[in-house]
Amino acid sequence: MTLYLDANATEPLRPAARAAMLAAMDTLGNPSSIHASGRAARKLLEAARETVAAHCHARPADIIFCAGATEANALAIHALGRDRPILIGATEHESIRPTGAEILPVRPDGTLAAATLDAALARYPGALVCLMAANNETGVLHDIETAAKSCAIHGALLHVDAVQAVGRCPRDWLAMGAASFSLSGHKFGGPMGAGALVVSQGIEIEALVKGGGQEQGRRGGTPPLPAIAGLAAALGEPYESDKILSCRDDIEAFCIGLGAVIPGAGAARLPNTVCLILPGIRAETQLIALDMAGIAVSAGSACSSGKLAASPVLAAMGFGTLSGQAIRVSLPWNVSRGAVEQFTMAYAAMVKRALRSPAHSA
Ligand code: PMP
């Protein structure tokens, strides 16, 4: 059986999410229909909205369900960035890369210096700033509170890609001053196919996907009710942060002992994520060796050819050629101590073999 350590790509489904989805699949009706079946479906949809709103410290009316975070981010950029210059952190996800955006360099630990943002906002007051709460490759957390304060001073709006933080280290981003944030169900144990843009009270959103007026005219299309019900159910599930962090810390300490370098080690990070650079050994070589040992991790970004490209996130942090020599281990919500043992043994064997084989060197 595969040892799955790629939770940042997608988390295993929570049993509560599965149960909620099955119940929703047995609910016949389109939430927009006015007959009794439609009303039953609408009731489910609004119950899910209330659950999500409660977790997000938002009003139900401020939750816009959509297909996932790629769409939620696109909606935020479309609606909030319309007449504004757009500033983005250098380590943002591919779904936050609008053409013409000004890219804000990060420090070697992956965080954004307040002075960098302030200087950019002085040049572009009234901008839309997009900053992720937690990086998907390194787990590095941005200081959203400070960024939100700077945005407020300069009349700018802040959109937070909170995809990797929701469910793992949630914060009240709206209270901090963010105009909106995005979340994706499959990143916290819900199913793929549902996400949301959560907006601050009073923020107007013009639809990107127009249609039948669903989501108060802000997102057309019949909402994927089973996926939304699963998303809401997963959000309420407990997350054993301390256990997960201690597994991650043990993996880190072991791998550092074998020569691994940890990007962002000094910064505040997600409890479940560790990026491991193994100097001199290509990411692809590491991935294949671990895959053959039955362990699923990831590296960089897979490009259309199916080959691995060096990680732009690590390149932005100044890791140069080392950016192509990193893997990401992201522990799922149900990780066990046995996983730590299995991974560290496979990692040690991989290091030993790779170092013996010059052909595999970068
Ligand atoms: N932002 C971040 C930080 C992500 O990690 C991802 C998923 N890899 C996305 C956005 C896109 O999410 P989705 O899969 O829901 O489109």
Side-chain angles (χ1 to χ4, degrees):
M1 226 180 64
T2 300
L3 174 61
Y4 184 80
L5 302 180
D6 200 14
N8 290 11
T10 196
E11 283 274 9
L13 192 65
R14 299 271 196 169
R18 176 190 294 273
M21 286 165 72
L22 288 173
M25 281 192 270
D26 285 334
T27 304
L28 171 66
N30 183 323
S32 298
S33 302
I34 53 171
H35 47 61
S37 299
R39 290 199 304 276
R42 163 70 57 186
K43 204 170 154 197
L44 259 191
L45 178 64
E46 296 314 321
R49 196 186 307 282
E50 272 169 33
T51 304
V52 174
H55 277 277
C56 294
H57 311 280
R59 301 180 315 162
D62 296 329
I63 309 294
I64 306 168
F65 285 123
C66 55
T70 297
E71 187 190 334
N73 286 339
L75 179 58
I77 288 166
H78 163 81
L80 306 179
R82 173 162 302 240
D83 301 316
R84 297 169 181 268
I86 301 179
L87 309 177
I88 64 168
T91 57
E92 292 301 300
H93 186 259
E94 288 87 338
S95 56
I96 303 260
R97 302 263 173 93
T99 29
E102 174 93 359
I103 296 177
L104 306 172
V106 294
R107 290 186 281 219
D109 70 357
T111 59
L112 179 69
T116 304
L117 179 58
D118 285 337
L121 285 170
R123 277 182 283 123
Y124 299 105
L128 168 66
V129 176
C130 298
L131 209 55
M132 66 205 320
N135 185 268
N136 46 307
E137 290 187 34
T138 59
V140 167
L141 307 180
H142 278 311
D143 180 353
I144 298 298
E145 192 159 15
T146 302
K149 281 185 187 143
S150 295
C151 287
I153 291 167
H154 291 92
L157 294 180
L158 176 64
H159 168 67
V160 178
D161 175 342
V163 167
Q164 298 289 351
V166 170
R168 297 184 182 138
C169 63
R171 304 274 187 273
D172 190 349
W173 293 290
L174 297 182
M176 289 178 190
S180 61
F181 69 89
S182 51
L183 57 88
S184 179
H186 75 105
K187 304 289 186 178
F188 49 82
M192 296 172 186
L197 182 69
V198 183
V199 297
S200 183
Q201 202 167 338
I203 294 283
E204 301 273 323
I205 295 289
E206 194 201 300
L208 176 60
V209 178
K210 297 182 174 44
Q214 291 92 345
E215 300 299 291
Q216 295 188 25
R218 296 168 298 181
R219 198 273 187 178
T222 304
L225 197 48
I228 290 171
L231 176 156
L235 209 43
E237 291 301 282
Y239 188 74
E240 294 178 276
S241 194
D242 289 348
K243 180 194 87 178
I244 293 166
L245 181 62
S246 107
C247 291
R248 191 208 67 183
D249 284 349
D250 289 352
I251 288 175
E252 277 191 21
F254 182 88
C255 296
I256 289 171
L258 290 174
V261 174
I262 315 255
R269 281 179 295 145
L270 287 174
N272 78 318
T273 308
V274 58
C275 184
L276 299 164
I277 293 176
L278 195 53
I281 314 295
R282 279 170 31 217
E284 206 167 351
T285 306
Q286 299 182 48
L287 268 197
I288 292 168
L290 291 169
D291 188 38
M292 282 166 65
I295 300 178
V297 297
S298 76
S301 50
C303 61
S304 50
S305 68
K307 295 220 168 216
L308 283 178
S311 157
V313 169
L314 299 185
M317 291 164 73
F319 281 95
T321 53
L322 291 177
S323 308
Q325 300 167 13
I327 59 166
R328 173 188 72 189
V329 178
S330 48
L331 307 177
W333 59 267
N334 55 357
V335 71
S336 67
R337 290 299 315 177
V340 176
E341 201 160 308
Q342 195 180 332
F343 175 79
T344 49
M345 277 171 62
Y347 193 82
M350 186 234 344
V351 171
K352 212 167 144 193
R353 236 183 356 244
L355 292 178
R356 268 205 318 258
S357 160
H360 283 153
S361 298

